[in-house]
Amino acid sequence: KQEVTQIPAALSVPEGENLVLNCSFTDSAIYNLQWFRQDPGKGLTSLLLIQSSQREQTSGRLNASLDKSSGRSTLYIAASQPGDSATYLCAVRPQAQGAQKLVFGQGTRLTINP
Amino acid sequence: DTGVSQDPRHKITKRGQNVTFRCDPISEHNRLYWYRQTLGQGPEFLTYFQNEAQLEKSRLLSDRFSAERPKGSFSTLEIQRTEQGDSAMYLCASSPLGASGRETQYFGPGTRLLVL
């Protein structure tokens, strides 16, 4: 059974710092890995999707890496801003036959202090 | 493209009552998903439709839960005889029918259920 773990559960940093969020998964048989952002009481917004054959994806100040063999991914946020405050969720799509679901970690709650 | 919409956004009910939620996916998206998210946790998969066919169901989907997607458009999720443990955010997502591993799931704003 695929399990996804995110560390830390919460992180608070001053504005302007670069930071790294971590995600690990137990089964390397995945189609892809996604990072989502969730604001309080709201739905999820996809930030980056990394195919299983890729090593990293970049969007603006965000960079996500994937090491499938070791079951790890990181989300790097450069020059953090107060607007980056949110919960960040990592999810994998298992490669099990017919599987379309995403398996999520519990999230990292990020607070950027002005 | 108006995105995935869900109705209602909030629902308060008493234990034992039935509730029904609606999800309207992005038009032309063949795939539709339901997830449940409790406070402080990531979403958990409930069920998945491809067009009108329900192809995958989680063990979390007890016999009190039923989902439909008539005509392959909007979907409904009904919970019968609600229990306090059903209190959660119910999220709907949709995606196009594409090559495996390349399609993103687009999430709606969710329906927050509180069972008193």
Side-chain angles (χ1 to χ4, degrees):
Chain A
K1 177 188 173 188
Q2 177 73 265
E3 293 184 358
V4 180
T5 303
Q6 291 185 247
I7 295 174
L11 181 63
S12 180
V13 301
E15 180 179 2
E17 280 202 4
N18 303 326
L19 57 99
V20 174
L21 306 181
N22 296 293
C23 171
S24 62
F25 48 96
T26 55
D27 188 342
S28 62
I30 61 170
Y31 279 121
N32 61 46
L33 181 144
Q34 278 187 266
W35 284 92
F36 290 88
R37 169 186 173 135
Q38 186 174 33
D39 292 290
K42 302 292 179 61
L44 280 64
T45 301
S46 179
L47 298 173
L48 291 164
L49 183 151
I50 311 176
Q51 305 296 337
S52 62
S53 58
Q54 296 175 324
R55 298 284 295 187
E56 66 177 339
Q57 281 287 329
T58 298
S59 176
R61 295 182 294 109
L62 305 180
N63 176 275
S65 68
L66 174 63
D67 185 342
K68 198 173 71 163
S69 61
S70 68
R72 295 181 186 274
S73 175
T74 61
L75 179 67
Y76 175 82
I77 303 177
S80 58
Q81 303 171 357
D84 295 331
S85 297
T87 295
Y88 290 80
L89 292 155
C90 164
V92 299
R93 184 174 158 215
Q95 213 167 37
Q97 187 175 6
Q100 295 293 331
K101 66 182 179 185
L102 296 178
V103 179
F104 285 85
Q106 72 274 39
T108 293
R109 188 172 70 254
L110 177 64
T111 302
I112 307 299
N113 302 304
Chain B
D1 181 359
T2 57
V4 179
S5 60
Q6 293 187 244
D7 185 70
R9 295 291 307 279
H10 304 274
K11 180 71 177 179
I12 300 175
T13 190
K14 294 182 179 178
R15 188 177 56 183
Q17 298 294 305
N18 299 341
V19 294
T20 300
F21 310 140
R22 176 179 171 125
C23 170
D24 286 89
I26 294 172
S27 59
E28 299 174 358
H29 276 192
N30 302 87
R31 292 177 172 157
L32 186 147
Y33 316 79
W34 285 99
Y35 292 83
R36 181 174 72 184
Q37 184 178 27
T38 53
L39 206 59
Q41 301 298 313
E44 295 175 290
F45 172 79
L46 292 178
T47 190
Y48 148 69
F49 291 84
Q50 184 164 307
N51 299 315
E52 67 274 9
Q54 188 174 20
L55 298 184
E56 194 174 350
K57 291 198 294 187
S58 162
R59 294 177 188 174
L60 293 175
L61 214 65
S62 75
D63 55 6
R64 296 186 298 106
F65 288 70
S66 63
E68 295 182 342
R69 192 183 183 197
K71 303 179 183 179
S73 55
F74 70 91
S75 175
T76 58
L77 178 67
E78 181 183 17
I79 309 174
Q80 296 182 329
R81 305 181 302 282
T82 52
E83 302 173 355
Q84 289 182 324
D86 296 331
S87 296
M89 174 83 90
Y90 290 83
L91 293 162
C92 177
S94 69
S95 70
L97 186 64
S100 294
R102 293 179 174 81
E103 62 276 7
T104 298
Q105 294 185 18
Y106 296 85
F107 281 80
T111 294
R112 182 168 295 283
L113 172 67
L114 177 61
V115 181
L116 301 176

